[in-house]
Amino acid sequence: DDAEKITVLFNLSNLELGQGKKVEVALMMSAVTLALEGAAAKIPRHAPFTDFGVDERMQQFMEKGGIINVCTPCLIYRDLGDAPLMPGLAKIKGPDLITKKDASKHIMFF
C-alpha cells in the first residue's frame, strides 16, 4: 500500500544518506499530497517501522542533507498549487526533474 511504499522509501533514503551518498526524492502524481503541511503525520505506522512516523522520516532526511522535490504541475493538477507545504521542500517542474534524472548515478522508483 502507499503507507508502506513511502515509509520504505524514506527508510532506505535515510540509510543511503548515512553512507555519505547524495539523495534526492521526487514526490510526483498522487504522492504530492504527502508534501502538504501535516499530511505525512497522518500516515499510520506499521511494524516493523513503528519507531518513526513518515513525517519524522522526512524531517530526518532533510536534516541529513536530503532534498525532497515536489512536482509543481502535479500539485496544480490536484488544485493544490497554493496549498501550504511542509517546510524545506523544493517545488520542481518536469524539465528540472529530467535534468536531475540524467545527472543521477542510480534511481530507485516506488
Side-chain angles (χ1 to χ4, degrees):
D1 73 17
D2 290 340
E4 180 182 24
K5 288 178 187 177
I6 199 67
T7 301
V8 171
L9 165 69
F10 281 103
N11 186 57
L12 294 177
S13 296
N14 278 317
L15 291 173
E16 290 284 319
L17 285 172
Q19 295 178 5
K21 298 176 182 174
K22 180 182 177 190
V23 182
E24 292 193 38
V25 168
L27 299 178
M28 299 175 59
M29 296 178 265
S30 63
V32 298
T33 58
L34 293 169
L36 300 176
E37 198 165 19
K42 296 176 184 173
I43 297 174
R45 298 178 188 198
H46 295 284
F49 303 109
T50 57
D51 53 347
F52 299 105
V54 171
D55 59 327
E56 295 164 301
R57 291 178 192 281
M58 291 172 76
Q59 193 61 45
Q60 289 170 352
F61 177 77
M62 291 186 288
E63 288 171 1
K64 293 178 182 178
I67 298 170
I68 302 176
N69 300 291
V70 183
C71 172
T72 303
C74 300
L75 287 168
I76 294 168
Y77 181 85
R78 288 164 179 75
D79 294 324
L80 299 172
D82 295 323
L85 302 182
M86 174 185 238
L89 305 184
K91 287 186 176 182
I92 192 169
K93 294 183 180 178
D96 298 321
L97 184 62
I98 297 299
T99 299
K100 288 177 180 281
K101 179 211 44 106
D102 290 344
S104 297
K105 194 172 187 181
H106 302 283
I107 297 175
M108 290 193 308
F109 186 84
F110 290 84

